[in-house]
């Protein structure tokens, strides 16, 4: 990245998860035991901090969850927006790009995505609307592309928003079962799920 501009195709690039030590520790323990089954003391120990040292950075277990989800959603939204922008104006190209971006994210950031999906019930009431707003923003990207595709005759679904929700749900679901080293490699899995996604929206092939 140079001068704050994302390199073309960088939305496909995934290295190791880069999180502050407290959030990385919280992520590991939330995945293993769930939010309510995790203690602050356990997170602090995993992060190599004392409990007061952890509280210096994050004043509560809830703030750890919120901090983790904010970084997760910022990454997801950035990648989706870049993928769509690079696809140009064609609805099918945009659709393939956003679906691929969602699939890659839920494979390569599987644990973060899993916590984001399963711990909504654990969010404080004052933060939950903000988090839901992030998810709505992501869903609207898919909705708008499918609606545009129907308008242009590329997709034939009679329920564009329902189909868009089904596609997004399929992509999100990958975080619950994907494992590296499975029968299909990442690119093969993406190709197969793109076929499923196109079928859901009723893609009209040439």
């Amino acid at each position: 990245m140079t001068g704050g501009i994302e390199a073309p195709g960088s939305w496909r690039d995934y290295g190791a998860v880069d999180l502050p030590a407290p959030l990385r520790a919280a992520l590991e323990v939330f995945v293993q035991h769930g939010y309510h089954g995790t203690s602050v003391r356990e997170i602090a120990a995993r992060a190599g901090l004392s409990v007061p040292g952890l509280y210096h950075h994050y004043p509560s277990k809830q703030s750890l969850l919120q901090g983790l989800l904010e970084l997760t959603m910022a990454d997801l939204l950035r990648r989706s927006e870049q993928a769509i922008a690079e696809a140009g104006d064609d609805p099918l190209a945009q659709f393939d790009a956003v679906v691929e971006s969602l699939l890659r994210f839920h494979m390569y950031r599987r644990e973060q995505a899993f916590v984001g999906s399963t711990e909504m019930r654990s969010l404080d009431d004052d933060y939950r609307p903000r988090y839901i707003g992030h998810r709505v923003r992501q869903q609207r990207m898919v909705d708008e592309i499918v609606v545009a595709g129907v308008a242009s005759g590329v997709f034939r679904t009679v329920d564009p928003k329902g189909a868009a929700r089904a596609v997004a749900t399929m992509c999100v679901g990958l975080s619950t079962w994907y494992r590296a080293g499975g029968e299909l490699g990442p690119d093969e899995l993406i190709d197969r799920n793109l076929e499923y996604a196109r079928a859901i929206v009723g893609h009209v092939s040439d």
Side-chain angles (χ1 to χ4, degrees), residues 124-163:
D124 283 355
D125 290 342
D126 60 348
Y127 174 73
R128 186 178 292 109
R130 176 178 173 84
Y131 181 66
I132 291 173
H134 293 323
R135 293 173 67 95
V136 168
R137 179 177 160 193
Q138 175 64 69
Q139 183 61 57
R140 281 178 179 163
M141 293 184 207
V142 186
D143 292 350
E144 290 168 1
I145 291 168
V146 176
V147 169
V150 170
S152 67
V154 176
F155 304 139
R156 287 181 175 166
T157 177
V158 297
D159 181 9
K161 290 188 177 180

Side-chain angles (χ1 to χ4, degrees), residues 61-136:
K61 186 169 69 167
Q62 180 66 203
S63 70
L64 285 159
L65 178 59
Q66 293 180 17
L68 179 62
L69 295 187
E70 280 294 302
L71 290 179
T72 298
M73 292 306 299
D75 189 23
L76 172 63
L77 292 167
R78 176 189 65 78
R79 290 176 185 276
S80 294
E81 288 169 349
Q82 187 189 3
I84 293 168
E86 289 182 10
D89 297 328
D90 176 57
L92 180 59
Q94 290 183 345
F95 179 77
D96 285 353
V98 75
V99 170
E100 180 185 346
S101 181
L102 285 169
L103 289 168
R104 287 190 185 278
F105 188 87
H106 287 85
M107 285 192 290
Y108 293 114
R109 294 293 181 262
R110 182 180 61 82
E111 292 185 340
Q112 288 171 252
F114 176 76
V115 170
S117 295
T118 58
E119 296 297 351
M120 281 185 63
R121 65 189 185 279
S122 303
L123 295 174
D124 283 355
D125 290 342
D126 60 348
Y127 174 73
R128 186 178 292 109
R130 176 178 173 84
Y131 181 66
I132 291 173
H134 293 323
R135 293 173 67 95
V136 168

Side-chain angles (χ1 to χ4, degrees), residues 13-32:
D13 296 337
Y14 286 87
V17 177
D18 184 18
L19 292 171
L23 294 186
R24 186 170 61 251
L27 173 62
E28 292 171 359
V29 186
F30 290 160
V31 169
Q32 291 175 357

